[in-house]
Amino acid sequence: VALGSLPEIDALQVEQSRSNEIETTALTFVLTQPVKYRYFTLSNPNRLVVDINDAMLKADVAKVPLDNTVIKSIRAGQTGKQVRLVFDLKQKTDTQITLLAPKSNYRDRLLIVLTSKNAAITSKQIPEKKTLNTSKNSLLLKAAPERDIVVVIDPGHGGKDPGAVGSYGAREKEIVLGISQALYHLMKNEPGLKPVLTRSGDYFIGLRGRLQKARNAKADMFIAIHADAYKNRSARGASVYALSQRGASSEAARWLAQKENYSELGGVDLNGLEDSDKNLRSVLIDLSQTATIAESLDIGESLLSHLSHINSLHHETVEQARFVVLKSPDIPSVLVETGFISNPSEEHNLQNPAYREQIAKAILTGIKQYFVDNPPRGTLYAAQKDEQQAQLAHRTQELPYRIKKGDTLSLLADEYHISVEAIRKRNGIHNGDINVGQTIILPAIA
Ligand SMILES: [Zn+2]
């Protein structure tokens, strides 16, 4: 195996949290591919040693901030194709390690969770170190080749719940069903996308029932369709919502309390965790929610940019709220308020099938654009992106490139198979500065 094709450990993130007297440190290694690993602990002084086989360490672990964590220092060494990481610990900890499967724009990760009783608070004995059944915990989702991206479309309200009612009698439940069905039919004709409706007629489904349908369908994303009402009849325009942090916290508490109802999270079998004190479970839920909200916000932005061609925007950016239907911790979820049914001219528009079709098209374009940029692994969109990347890797001509949010010169250099220096030189960039929206020229590969 050439070193260049080995999995790489690209980054290390450390998060610290505390509940009651339990200190939890979550270490996330960001990987380019899944890895094989083993670990053991040593005492006097306390250390955790993690060996990762057939991998290259790219992250600078010495620079990771460790303030307030249970870790004193991290040492890392690469011997041939083996990476050894030694964590010097301030006290004895419980250690749990699990590989996390990639999730849309998040890559493979190795998660190490260290828990310890805060010695200053409790005099209770630290529980015996638990053994970890790695075969149970290293759950990698193996997707079938080129599966479809599943989009669950949720028309709001229905049946005994009419939703908002306009001054000319338009009912939200009918309008949003019309938009959702238009979206469903457009999406059905899109290779690589598979739409699923939570309701296809005028009947009632509870909010939790909608979440369950998304889980059953193994949704890659969830989109709820609504039409607002407000006492001020001049209020108008579309809005997009993602879950708020407070909504996420209350849902995490529910997942912990109703353990038996929530056994699977983003491909990880939570019942398979040896985790009597629920710490690992709690960290996994938290990490998943953080990632899912970030993805939902990105999807929301993509939707707003296309909805803005059809309707004015009531909110220019994605709003965050505690809507129940947005609470799936592992399924990016957005709620689109397509317009105000309480505004007579919008009510009129929303009753027009041609207008609904336009809204549905804008939503579809926003969804497609998001998945072109962030294809879930194993999908047709991912295969297309890979092929595009392969072509880029052999490009014989220069390529103009518009800087996006999150781009850095070194990420671009990696992605486009050239050196940072080559990009700097071609574009006359003297420091690291690049600005979102700026267009630079990526040199050809000689
Ligand atoms: Zn509604």
Side-chain angles (χ1 to χ4, degrees):
V1 184
L3 284 186
S5 63
L6 285 178
E8 290 171 6
I9 304 164
D10 274 356
L12 172 61
Q13 294 145 5
V14 180
E15 279 171 86
Q16 183 70 20
S17 62
R18 175 175 306 147
S19 73
N20 300 327
E21 75 273 35
I22 305 288
E23 294 276 349
T24 304
T25 304
L27 298 157
T28 309
F29 289 85
V30 183
L31 310 167
T32 54
Q33 294 167 54
V35 293
K36 290 207 175 70
Y37 63 88
R38 66 181 193 119
Y39 77 99
F40 54 93
T41 52
L42 299 164
S43 49
N44 295 321
N46 287 313
R47 278 154 295 164
L48 164 69
V49 181
V50 181
D51 287 333
I52 300 172
N53 293 329
D54 297 324
M56 290 293 289
L57 181 66
K58 289 287 180 78
D60 187 355
V61 295
K63 286 195 178 141
V64 176
L66 299 171
D67 309 337
N68 301 319
T69 70
V70 75
I71 303 164
K72 232 184 288 177
S73 58
I74 309 174
R75 290 170 285 146
Q78 173 102 38
T79 314
K81 294 186 277 179
Q82 177 170 296
V83 178
R84 166 162 286 187
L85 293 141
V86 181
F87 299 87
D88 297 300
L89 306 172
K90 293 175 187 161
Q91 64 189 89
K92 194 176 171 193
T93 63
D94 266 3
T95 308
Q96 285 152 318
I97 301 191
T98 190
L99 272 176
L100 301 179
K103 211 165 111 37
S104 66
N105 50 343
Y106 288 82
R107 304 199 312 219
D108 291 283
R109 288 150 295 159
L110 179 66
L111 171 68
I112 303 178
V113 177
L114 303 172
T115 49
S116 54
K117 303 261 177 179
N118 189 332
I121 299 174
T122 177
S123 58
K124 269 187 278 167
Q125 284 236 302
I126 292 163
E128 280 299 293
K129 200 188 102 44
K130 291 174 214 142
T131 53
L132 185 92
N133 181 342
T134 45
S135 64
K136 245 183 178 178
N137 280 295
S138 312
L139 282 168
L140 277 175
L141 253 198
K142 249 201 151 170
E146 306 199 358
R147 65 175 182 86
D148 287 335
I149 295 173
V150 178
V151 179
V152 169
I153 305 166
D154 179 42
H157 312 282
K160 64 184 182 188
D161 168 18
V165 179
S167 41
Y168 295 101
R171 293 194 291 182
E172 182 180 359
K173 65 174 184 178
E174 283 154 15
I175 283 170
V176 298
L177 182 61
I179 295 170
S180 300
Q181 281 172 331
L183 178 58
Y184 175 87
H185 289 296
L186 289 168
M187 203 179 282
K188 247 185 117 129
N189 293 322
E190 282 291 334
L193 295 181
K194 182 186 168 195
V196 174
L197 283 165
T198 56
R199 72 172 173 98
S200 53
D202 183 17
Y203 47 86
F204 178 79
I205 318 173
L207 298 176
R208 290 278 163 188
R210 297 168 196 256
L211 292 182
Q212 194 54 50
K213 289 203 171 197
R215 297 202 83 67
N216 294 348
K218 299 202 183 312
D220 291 287
M221 78 164 275
F222 175 94
I223 179 167
I225 309 286
H226 286 252
D228 249 334
Y230 192 62
K231 53 183 183 293
N232 177 353
R233 285 171 28 128
S234 65
R236 61 166 299 141
S239 320
V240 177
Y241 290 85
L243 186 63
S244 65
Q245 199 47 56
R246 287 180 68 186
S249 305
S250 66
E251 188 66 7
R254 186 186 171 100
W255 275 62
L256 287 175
Q258 302 184 9
K259 210 166 161 246
E260 48 301 325
N261 294 349
Y262 301 106
S263 59
E264 183 273 329
L265 176 83
V268 176
D269 174 9
L270 295 176
N271 285 339
L273 303 175
E274 184 144 342
D275 183 33
S276 55
D277 49 12
K278 296 188 193 165
N279 283 311
L280 179 55
R281 195 182 171 89
S282 165
V283 169
L284 284 173
I285 294 167
D286 191 59
L287 286 175
S288 183
Q289 284 178 322
T290 305
T292 300
I293 291 178
E295 288 162 28
S296 306
L297 290 170
D298 285 349
I299 294 173
E301 267 179 41
S302 183
L303 292 174
L304 283 174
S305 74
H306 294 282
L307 283 167
S308 67
H309 301 310
I310 311 300
N311 196 356
S312 61
L313 297 181
H314 190 67
H315 295 290
E316 296 282 331
T317 55
V318 182
E319 295 288 294
Q320 288 183 265
R322 305 176 66 167
F323 296 133
V324 171
V325 290
L326 300 181
K327 284 189 169 184
S328 300
D330 49 355
I331 304 170
S333 300
V334 291
L335 183 146
V336 179
E337 293 282 6
T338 48
F340 282 84
I341 203 171
S342 50
N343 177 309
S345 83
E346 290 212 328
E347 179 184 11
H348 180 74
N349 281 338
L350 288 166
Q351 284 180 299
N352 177 353
Y355 181 82
R356 292 178 189 171
E357 177 100 2
Q358 277 185 294
I359 294 271
K361 274 186 182 153
I363 291 173
L364 177 65
T365 311
I367 291 172
K368 274 168 64 182
Q369 190 187 308
Y370 173 79
F371 284 122
V372 164
D373 291 341
N374 309 285
R377 181 169 291 193
T379 59
L380 179 65
Y381 277 54
Q384 283 167 345
K385 190 174 179 177
D386 284 350
E387 193 181 324
Q388 217 174 43
Q389 299 284 332
Q391 281 173 8
L392 283 174
H394 297 105
R395 70 184 180 279
T396 50
Q397 286 179 343
E398 294 190 327
L399 187 74
Y401 178 86
R402 206 175 134 91
I403 304 292
K404 288 184 305 201
K405 205 171 82 183
D407 283 342
T408 66
L409 285 183
S410 56
L411 280 176
L412 287 173
D414 265 5
E415 194 174 340
Y416 292 92
H417 308 273
I418 33 170
S419 67
V420 171
E421 216 23 66
I423 304 179
R424 281 218 180 102
K425 211 169 149 193
R426 175 64 184 82
N427 295 279
I429 301 170
H430 297 297
N431 46 21
D433 283 355
I434 45 173
N435 301 310
V436 174
Q438 178 190 351
T439 298
I440 60 168
I441 303 293
L442 297 166
I445 294 168

